[in-house]
Every structure is written in C-alpha cells, then in structure tokens.
Amino acid sequence: DIETIKRATDLFGTDAASNGSTYFVRSALLDYIERAIICHEQGMDTQFLVILDEINRVHAKVNETLHGLFDDTRQITIPTAEGSKMIKLPSNFHVIGTMNSGASYVGTHQLDEALKDRFAATTLPPMPKDYEVKKLVKETGILEKQALDIVTVAILLREVAATGQLTSAVSYRGC
C-alpha cells in the first residue's frame, strides 16, 4: 500500500540491529527488482511490472527516491548504514504510477515538479452507458431497470459537475 510509505527505507529496505551489529532488511520491492536483474543477466525473456497506484498518496519526503524509477537514468539509490547503494534497473523492469490529480482528492500530496515531469497524463473516458449499467447489475445484483435509472442520474450529475455547478461528480467507485 503506497500510502504507508513514509521514508525511502519503507520502499527499498531498512537497517536493523541485533547482537551489536547492523544488517539490511530488504523490502519485497527490492527483492523483485533483484529478480528482474537476475533474469535480465541470464538472458531470460521475462518482464517485471510494478504498479504504484495513487502515487501522490506517498509521503512527500519519498518523492525524490522515486525519480529513478521513472526517468531515463533508471537508477535508484538505497540508503543503508554502510552508505548509499546504487542499483541500475534492467530493461525488463517497468513501473507504472497512477494518481488522481486535483485538489478534490483527500489524502493526496503534491508531487514535486521533477517527479511530475516523468509522467504522461492520460485521461480515461467515461464508461459507455450500457457497460456501466451491466457492471452495476453484475456487481450489486439490482435489476437492470434500476441500474439504468441510477446510471442516467449519475451521467446527468457528472455533466453538471463538468460545468462547475457541482463540486464533485458521482463516481462509479462508490459501488
């Protein structure tokens, strides 16, 4: 859950101490990256994908750590007690970050401009009415007529919200 990431160590791993010595506890993400590196080095045609959903929910202090996941250098720096460790991401490792942008999304943080520049904004079109009706029927068990009425009202409310007369639109996520 990206929202739980408060420090870079939460993302890649952290130092721990036991019996007077320190050691590095690797994260699942770092293990996944290293599996991608091994497959790449062995010439295996295996692709690795990480989806960081709602990346703007990550704490602002972690933004800089994420840069290397999304830029052309494809390098990440991991802070450890022994110093920083740089890892070059292989070509078979891919990262997708998603976010809802805008002031109306509660719990989100502003991405710094350098990180924001690494994204290509994509706006998803609304669901076709017949598809939304079928999805509502399937997921809630209501009658098709009821779903059609709900979707018709929801579409009207979204249209009004687009003109600025409402502060937010009806989202399918509420189902």
Side-chain angles (χ1 to χ4, degrees):
D1 185 3
I2 195 79
E3 187 176 359
T4 63
I5 305 298
K6 305 276 189 253
R7 301 174 312 272
T9 55
D10 295 335
L11 198 57
F12 299 114
T14 189
D15 289 312
S18 177
N19 298 326
S21 63
T22 61
Y23 58 97
F24 188 72
V25 180
R26 305 158 57 83
S27 72
L29 177 59
L30 184 57
D31 285 342
Y32 193 65
I33 291 169
E34 297 219 345
R35 284 182 23 216
I37 291 169
I38 291 167
C39 287
H40 180 73
E41 289 172 348
Q42 293 180 355
M44 298 172 71
D45 187 23
T46 305
Q47 302 299 310
F48 292 78
L49 175 65
V50 172
I51 299 174
L52 298 176
D53 191 28
E54 297 193 28
I55 196 167
N56 53 333
R57 294 182 69 88
V58 72
H59 197 277
K61 289 188 240 176
V62 181
N63 279 345
E64 188 175 330
T65 306
L66 298 172
H67 289 195
L69 293 174
F70 295 102
D71 67 16
D72 292 338
T73 67
R74 298 187 52 78
Q75 295 178 19
I76 55 172
T77 303
I78 301 168
T80 70
E82 293 81 35
S84 295
K85 177 180 178 184
M86 193 276 297
I87 296 178
K88 178 98 172 127
L89 299 172
S91 59
N92 64 337
F93 184 82
H94 312 279
V95 181
I96 296 174
T98 68
M99 70 178 181
N100 293 315
S101 59
S104 63
Y105 293 98
V106 177
T108 61
H109 302 282
Q110 185 69 23
L111 290 184
D112 67 43
E113 289 301 316
L115 185 56
K116 199 182 297 184
D117 283 347
R118 288 160 170 81
F119 282 86
T122 303
T123 303
L124 299 177
M127 280 187 247
K129 186 175 186 175
D130 62 328
Y131 180 82
E132 190 171 0
V133 168
K134 288 177 187 171
K135 187 169 174 58
L136 192 57
V137 167
K138 181 180 177 187
E139 292 181 8
T140 65
I142 64 174
L143 298 173
E144 189 169 336
K145 169 70 173 113
Q146 293 169 315
L148 179 60
D149 291 344
I150 292 169
V151 170
T152 300
V153 171
I155 289 170
L156 289 171
L157 289 171
R158 291 178 197 137
E159 290 170 358
V160 171
T163 68
Q165 297 175 35
L166 288 175
T167 56
S168 63
V170 177
S171 170
Y172 188 82
R173 288 184 180 187
C175 296

